[in-house]
Structure formats: C-alpha cells, structure tokens
Amino acid sequence: MAKEEAKLHIAMFPWLAFGHINPYFELAKLIAQKGHKISFISTPRNIDRLPKLPQTLSPFINFVKLPLPPTENLPEDAEATIDLPQEKVPLLKNAYDSLQDSIANFLQSSNPDWVVFDFSAYWLPDIARNLGIPSVFFSIYLAACLDFVAPPSLTPDNRKKPKDYTVSPYWVPFPTKLAFRIFEILSIYDNVTEVDGAKSCFWSIVEVLRGCDVVAVRSCTEFELKWLQHLEKLHRKPVFPVGVLPPKLHNISNDDDDDEEWRPIKEWLDKQVNGSVIYVAFGTEAKLRQDELTEMAYGLELSGLPFFWVLRMDHDSANSEMIELPVGFEERTKGRGIVCTTWAPQLNILAHDSIGGFLTHSGWSSVVEALQFGRPLILFTFSNDQGLNARLLEEKMIGYSVPRDEHDGWFTRQSVAESLKLVAVKEEGKIYRDKAKEMKLVIGDMDIQDNYLNEFLGYLSTYRRSNKAQ
C-alpha cells in the first residue's frame, strides 16, 4: 500500500472500445490495489457495463461519466465500437473528440497528478500541459506496433499506398519481418487514412507520441526488449512496460463447480485427452463471413481434433443477416466438438489441461490469456494491429499463421486442418508448444509482472515529488 504522502491521483481516459477499456480498467485496479486514487473516465453506458468493483477497491476508484454529445447519424445508445458496424466507427471518433471541453473541465477541477490517455485522444496532451498536468500515453498496442506506425518527428513517412505497409519501415534498424500482409492492410486502410472527417488511427498515434510526457506499454522486456528500447530512442522520452496485465489466477479457479455456465464445459473438457483440444475464438468484434465460416467449419472437421468453438452467429446490429454452419456439421462432429454461440468463460477454458492450441484472431489480450497458460497459437487475423502481432509471434515461433492468399486473405479447409494439427500434435510443431511454455514462465509469473508496474509507479511518484520541490 502506498504511503499517504506518496499516493497519486491518476485520471484515466481510454478509447471507446472494450478492447481498450478493459485493459485500462485492469491497470486501474492494479494501481488502486497499491493505494493510489484513480478517476476512471468514460461514457455512462460503458461504465455501467464494467464488472463490479471489489469492495476493497471501491474507495480508490472513482467513475467519471461523461455523456457523448448528440452526433448526426450516431445512434443514441452507441457508446462503444461494439455498438456499431465498422463503417460507423468514424462517427464515434468524432463524438469522442467532442469531449475535449468536458475533459478539460474535469481535469481543471480535480487536478490529478497525472492523466493517462489512449491513442485516440490526440488533443489531450495540449490540454493537460496548459493545466500543468503531466501526461502518459498508455498503449494497449505492443511497442513493435508503435515503432511500425510512428516514425520519429524529423523522419518523413513516405508510405502513400497500401503496399508500402507490407515492408518493414526503414527507421527500424534491426532485421525483422514486422509488416502487414496486403490483405491485412487493405482491410484497415480507412484507419490509416482519414475517413468521414475523423483523424486516422496512425495519425493519432504519431500525435500522442509527440505530445505525451511518458509512454507506457502493455508489454514486458522478455517479450520485446529491442522494440521497447527502440521506441524510447526514437521518441526521446521515457518508455515503461507496465507488464502484460494477465488475469489473476484466483479469478479462474476450477473449484467453482457451482457455476452453471462453466460446469458443463468443464465436464466435457475433463473427458478429453490432455493437450488435445483446439479452442477457437476470434474476440468480441471480429466476424466471419458465411463463406469463411463454412470453410473454417470444414477445416475443424477435417482436422479430426476435438474442438471448442466460440462462434458469433450474427452480424452487427445494422445487418440482420445470419450466418449458418454447414448442414450436418454439428451432427458429424457430435461428441468431438462443441459450438458455443453464447458467452463462454475463456480464461477457464484456456487454463484447462485438455487445451492443446488456440485458434485466435491475434488480439493482444487473447494472446496474453493463452500464453499465461502456455497454450500455443494458431493465428487467423482480421483487422487492427492483429497482423503486426501475428508477425511478431511468427518471428518468435510462438504462433503459426493459417496459410492464406496474399491478396484477398482466402484460405482453405485443408490449410486450417493442417495448421491445427501442426501446432497441436505434430512433431515439427513442437517448437510452438515449447516456446509457448517458455512464455508461460514470464507472463504467468505475477511477481515479474508486478515489478513492471512498481517501476512505472515509482517513476510517476518521483516525478511528482521533484516537480513539487521546484
């Protein structure tokens, strides 16, 4: 617990996506556990959707609800990306940018010691600086992704076309294959360029790296030391890995047999051979098209491996088109596979000894959860930073990407089946299993991860004391 005179008040302001809100919330809870005060800022509906705080942390975390202003063509109840089809997310960005005055008023009245903000709030460093409040850009993206996106301020970024993003940037001085494949960059090219008046994600990241006082990254040196060092050298400001924020082990106790959702899943997993089951999940927002779903299903069937597939059957709320499994698929795989179309306890499943591989979209949160338990990865990217994450995991031989067509991203049932068998059971895939187990020793070690947070908070406290002394 922090000493009274050393306690900090930290305001936190994530982007309006639960892939960002949740890691920010986890970091907030970890900081609060050490006795520091948090003002957690988001919209009313997003805050109401967060898990309930433990009673022990309630005195330390204050939720600040800032309503979005009415925005043309943005539904009233749309406060996070999960509430919208992808093409309407720029409207949410514009509404988010309209919170500048509300944020400025809150910071002025509450006067926190630090403000921690996301890539999307490119305007916040100037507000904070005018109020005399130092700022931290907390990136849920890896340092490697930031290095790829943002050149140093005096270095020109000559990338003008999608194909320019399929090679590593010239400002990265060491050998790497970190780059998008052409189908990956095409799927997110609107985020790289400005669309519907909203600033691009890449531009925002460049701006926040320029404007912040400190960079904090959801990462650790054991995973990407050279990228963290390079990021600090590029931007000439302190860069702190704060740990990967793995979920606490006590939250996923297998003793919780009374949980009605977990019990039948656990009973099925208990019957499977250790290390034999493929867990399939692509996050909360990634969606397969009907043709992709059909091919993926046939791939799972063709592999002959037991599987547990968490499948979103509906498209976004603006598109009522339903997708369907191939006729007879569930009957043919009955007993060997389970398709879950509702929420599933991902941590419990990944922690179970029967899991031999995780077919994932390569989102960093899901990767962390899998590596915490030493599960090797089969990678199938959709959007955002997932392509860059996949290249890094491929380089480290922790994950293997399903072979796909370079131009349209198409894949075959055979490529799915062979990828699953390679990573989970074949001798030539043992390297992936071994490397995942090595990462478990780091990501699953809460003392190692906690030390990163202690170093970060120590810097914030020292900075505050030295500034007050002046």
Side-chain angles (χ1 to χ4, degrees):
M1 194 67 76
K3 294 180 181 178
E4 190 66 37
E5 67 274 11
K7 286 183 180 178
L8 297 166
H9 174 201
I10 300 172
M12 300 183 72
F13 183 49
W15 163 234
L16 304 179
F18 276 90
H20 292 247
I21 294 170
N22 287 334
Y24 267 69
F25 190 48
E26 287 304 310
L27 182 61
K29 290 188 290 185
L30 291 171
I31 294 173
Q33 285 173 8
K34 298 179 183 297
H36 301 289
K37 179 184 175 184
I38 299 291
S39 291
F40 196 88
I41 308 166
S42 192
T43 64
R45 188 176 180 212
N46 289 338
I47 286 176
D48 290 343
R49 288 188 281 194
L50 287 171
K52 190 175 180 181
L53 270 179
Q55 285 188 342
T56 52
L57 296 184
S58 294
F60 300 98
I61 298 181
N62 174 46
F63 291 112
V64 180
K65 297 181 176 182
L66 298 183
L68 291 174
T71 302
E72 188 177 359
N73 296 323
L74 183 69
E76 284 187 20
D77 61 349
E79 298 184 13
T81 55
I82 199 171
D83 302 325
L84 292 164
Q86 181 63 37
E87 62 269 17
K88 287 199 172 185
V89 169
L91 300 175
L92 188 65
K93 286 184 181 178
N94 291 334
Y96 180 88
D97 289 346
S98 299
L99 291 174
Q100 293 181 45
D101 288 345
S102 299
I103 288 288
N105 291 336
F106 171 77
L107 293 178
Q108 186 169 24
S109 62
S110 61
N111 192 30
D113 297 300
W114 288 88
V115 58
V116 177
F117 68 102
D118 214 334
F119 82 96
S120 45
Y122 61 89
W123 37 265
L124 201 151
D126 287 342
I127 291 174
R129 189 172 293 108
N130 290 336
L131 295 172
I133 301 169
S135 64
V136 177
F137 165 37
F138 171 44
S139 173
I140 70 158
Y141 305 120
L142 288 163
C145 298
L146 300 182
D147 281 333
F148 182 89
V149 168
S153 56
L154 298 179
T155 301
D157 187 350
N158 297 323
R159 297 176 294 196
K160 305 298 182 186
K161 299 177 181 178
K163 68 177 183 179
D164 296 333
Y165 295 88
T166 63
V167 293
S168 299
Y170 68 88
W171 55 82
V172 175
F174 44 81
T176 179
K177 294 181 180 179
L178 189 79
F180 288 105
R181 295 166 71 177
I182 190 65
F183 71 87
E184 291 169 338
I185 190 64
L186 287 174
S187 73
I188 62 166
Y189 201 59
D190 282 350
N191 287 337
V192 177
T193 56
E194 294 190 19
V195 60
D196 288 345
K199 297 294 185 182
S200 77
C201 292
F202 277 32
W203 183 89
S204 293
I205 290 172
V206 170
E207 284 299 296
V208 298
L209 283 168
R210 179 194 60 78
C212 69
D213 296 297
V214 177
V215 181
V217 186
R218 186 189 182 185
S219 188
C220 60
T221 57
E222 291 87 351
F223 188 79
E224 54 164 359
L225 174 61
K226 63 183 179 181
W227 292 103
L228 287 158
Q229 291 173 334
H230 186 244
L231 185 67
E232 187 166 85
K233 184 178 180 180
L234 271 184
H235 298 285
R236 299 180 180 181
K237 55 189 61 178
V239 172
F240 286 91
V242 297
V244 298
L245 312 182
K248 298 288 187 183
L249 288 172
H250 62 73
N251 289 337
I252 56 165
S253 171
N254 283 345
D255 295 332
D256 190 12
D257 290 333
D258 293 332
D259 188 308
E260 292 184 5
E261 292 170 320
W262 169 231
R263 192 189 312 119
I265 297 172
K266 182 177 183 299
E267 289 174 355
W268 183 82
L269 291 171
D270 286 343
K271 296 174 183 176
Q272 311 305 315
V273 175
N274 280 4
S276 68
V277 177
I278 301 296
Y279 176 59
V280 186
F282 299 126
T284 56
E285 297 189 30
K287 305 175 186 74
L288 291 163
R289 302 189 311 262
Q290 179 62 66
D291 57 346
E292 293 174 328
L293 169 64
T294 299
E295 204 68 14
M296 189 69 70
Y298 281 127
L300 284 166
E301 183 178 349
L302 191 61
S303 75
L305 296 171
F307 62 86
F308 190 101
W309 187 2
V310 181
L311 176 63
R312 294 193 66 194
M313 296 296 287
D314 61 323
H315 281 273
D316 55 63
S317 56
N319 185 348
S320 59
E321 177 190 353
M322 297 295 291
I323 54 178
E324 297 178 345
L325 289 163
V327 175
F329 170 78
E330 290 182 275
E331 185 63 32
R332 292 191 302 272
T333 59
K334 189 174 183 179
R336 176 165 71 84
I338 289 180
V339 178
C340 175
T341 57
T342 59
W343 177 85
Q346 179 159 297
L347 280 173
N348 299 57
I349 295 169
L350 287 170
H352 199 280
D353 289 338
S354 68
I355 301 300
F358 181 18
L359 178 54
T360 172
H361 61 315
S362 311
W364 185 225
S365 289
S366 290
V367 169
V368 166
E369 291 177 8
L371 294 182
Q372 182 181 2
F373 305 110
R375 309 304 178 208
L377 305 167
I378 306 98
L379 311 171
F380 187 90
T381 62
F382 285 81
S383 64
N384 301 330
D385 58 327
Q386 295 160 16
L388 298 181
N389 294 344
R391 294 305 90 71
L392 203 58
L393 293 163
E394 291 164 8
E395 277 191 4
K396 294 176 176 293
M397 300 294 284
I398 298 170
Y400 177 83
S401 288
V402 174
R404 299 167 74 176
D405 182 273
E406 285 298 323
H407 295 281
D408 62 12
W410 184 245
F411 61 100
T412 67
R413 62 195 68 178
Q414 289 82 8
S415 66
V416 172
E418 289 304 313
S419 300
L420 299 179
K421 290 188 287 186
L422 171 70
V423 172
V425 298
K426 285 190 174 181
E427 182 60 29
E428 55 264 45
K430 185 174 183 293
I431 183 67
Y432 299 102
R433 302 191 288 275
D434 289 345
K435 289 290 185 179
K437 288 174 184 174
E438 288 177 18
M439 287 308 304
K440 175 184 177 180
L441 301 177
V442 175
I443 289 181
D445 189 321
M446 295 301 175
D447 290 334
I448 290 176
Q449 298 302 319
D450 192 51
N451 284 338
Y452 283 110
L453 184 60
N454 287 337
E455 289 183 21
F456 172 61
L457 292 172
Y459 177 87
L460 298 191
S461 296
T462 301
Y463 184 100
R464 183 186 69 166
R465 287 196 298 271
S466 63
N467 274 20
K468 284 189 173 183
Q470 295 173 10

